[in-house]
Amino acid sequence: AQKVTQAQTEISVVEKEDVTLDCVYETRDTTYYLFWYKQPPSGELVFLIRRNSFDEQNEISGRYSWNFQKSTSSFNFTITASQVVDSAVYFCALSEYSGYSTLTFGKGTMLLVSP
Amino acid sequence: EAGVAQSPRYKIIEKRQSVAFWCNPISGHATLYWYQQILGQGPKLLIQFQNNGVVDDSQLPKDRFSAERLKGVDSTLKIQPAKLEDSAVYLCASSLDDVRVENTEAFFGQGTRLTVV
């Protein structure tokens, strides 16, 4: 069975600090897909990134970067020079290749960025 | 491009009453999902449709929850009768195809916040 663990419930930083959100996953599949979503106070989940299990290259998109390490089953998300607008709940999710395409989410990490 | 539309945004009902939520996915999206998000937790899949067929409803409490997707477009989720523990945000999402297909992602609506008193 697939499982996603986000151990950090809440993180508070001051603007311009760097922050890393941790995500650890469990799966028996060798092929799987990992995602990060952002949930601002308005409620809808906003897609940030998708990564398949065969692509271990780290990715950078502006102030966002993702570190995927199969050896530790982790897919961590770093925000560089955080801004107040980054305040939201961030979810990591997993979808296994076998069976249904169900997205299994972690419990989320609430990020609070203060000015 | 219009996003996933859900209504109502908020609903308060008494326990044992029934309630229905509506979702209009992004045009052309074959896959539609209903998720339940209890406060402080991540979304949990209730049911997944591919066009108008059910792909996965293993976590849907079928004694009280039902869902349908007419003509493979709009969908409704119903709870009858509601219990206090059903208080949650119900999120609808849609995707062009299976999210395992390259460059396919799920788009979410703003959700319906249900309070059962």
Side-chain angles (χ1 to χ4, degrees):
Chain A
Q2 54 190 16
K3 183 180 178 182
V4 176
T5 301
Q6 295 180 257
Q8 303 150 309
T9 304
E10 185 174 319
I11 300 175
S12 293
V13 299
V14 177
E15 217 171 11
K16 297 183 184 176
E17 284 185 20
D18 298 347
V19 59
T20 296
L21 309 181
D22 298 333
C23 172
V24 175
Y25 60 91
E26 295 176 29
T27 177
R28 285 178 288 192
D29 273 22
T30 55
T31 303
Y32 50 89
Y33 306 86
L34 296 163
F35 304 79
W36 275 95
Y37 279 85
K38 174 182 180 180
Q39 187 174 43
S42 55
E44 80 278 16
L45 278 85
V46 177
F47 169 81
L48 295 177
I49 190 172
R50 162 208 171 96
R51 173 69 69 222
N52 72 54
S53 54
F54 295 112
D55 183 2
E56 287 195 72
Q57 278 191 332
N58 292 330
E59 177 148 345
I60 298 175
S61 177
R63 296 184 296 108
Y64 295 170
S65 62
W66 290 270
N67 184 281
F68 176 31
Q69 293 196 332
K70 288 179 75 170
S71 59
T72 56
S73 298
S74 65
F75 186 42
N76 297 337
F77 173 31
T78 297
I79 302 175
T80 303
S82 59
Q83 299 176 1
V84 172
V85 293
D86 295 327
S87 296
V89 181
Y90 291 86
F91 291 96
C92 181
L94 166 71
S95 179
E96 294 177 329
Y97 179 76
S98 61
Y100 309 123
S101 69
T102 305
L103 281 169
T104 297
F105 287 85
K107 291 188 175 183
T109 298
M110 178 177 288
L111 174 64
L112 300 171
V113 183
S114 54
Chain B
E1 177 182 86
V4 176
Q6 290 189 246
S7 67
R9 286 297 311 279
Y10 305 92
K11 191 75 178 176
I12 301 175
I13 61 172
E14 295 183 350
K15 59 183 179 184
R16 290 187 291 273
Q17 284 188 327
S18 60
V19 64
F21 313 127
W22 174 81
C23 172
N24 180 226
I26 293 173
S27 177
H29 279 196
T31 309
L32 185 146
Y33 315 79
W34 281 103
Y35 281 86
Q36 179 192 59
Q37 186 178 16
I38 293 173
L39 186 64
Q41 297 186 20
K44 182 187 83 171
L45 181 75
L46 292 175
I47 188 167
Q48 177 181 335
F49 293 94
Q50 185 76 11
N51 296 307
N52 60 349
V54 175
V55 173
D56 182 6
D57 64 356
S58 57
Q59 298 188 89
L60 186 75
K62 297 181 186 64
D63 57 333
R64 299 183 301 106
F65 285 65
S66 64
E68 60 181 4
R69 189 179 185 195
L70 299 174
K71 299 181 182 178
V73 183
D74 292 5
S75 177
T76 55
L77 176 70
K78 296 179 182 177
I79 307 175
Q80 181 179 14
K83 293 185 175 181
L84 295 177
E85 59 261 35
D86 297 332
S87 294
V89 175
Y90 291 84
L91 294 164
C92 179
S94 70
S95 58
L96 198 59
D97 201 332
D98 188 315
V99 293
R100 294 167 293 187
V101 174
E102 194 62 36
N103 297 320
T104 300
E105 63 193 73
F107 294 85
F108 285 78
Q110 290 187 302
T112 296
R113 183 177 297 277
L114 173 68
T115 303
V116 182
V117 298

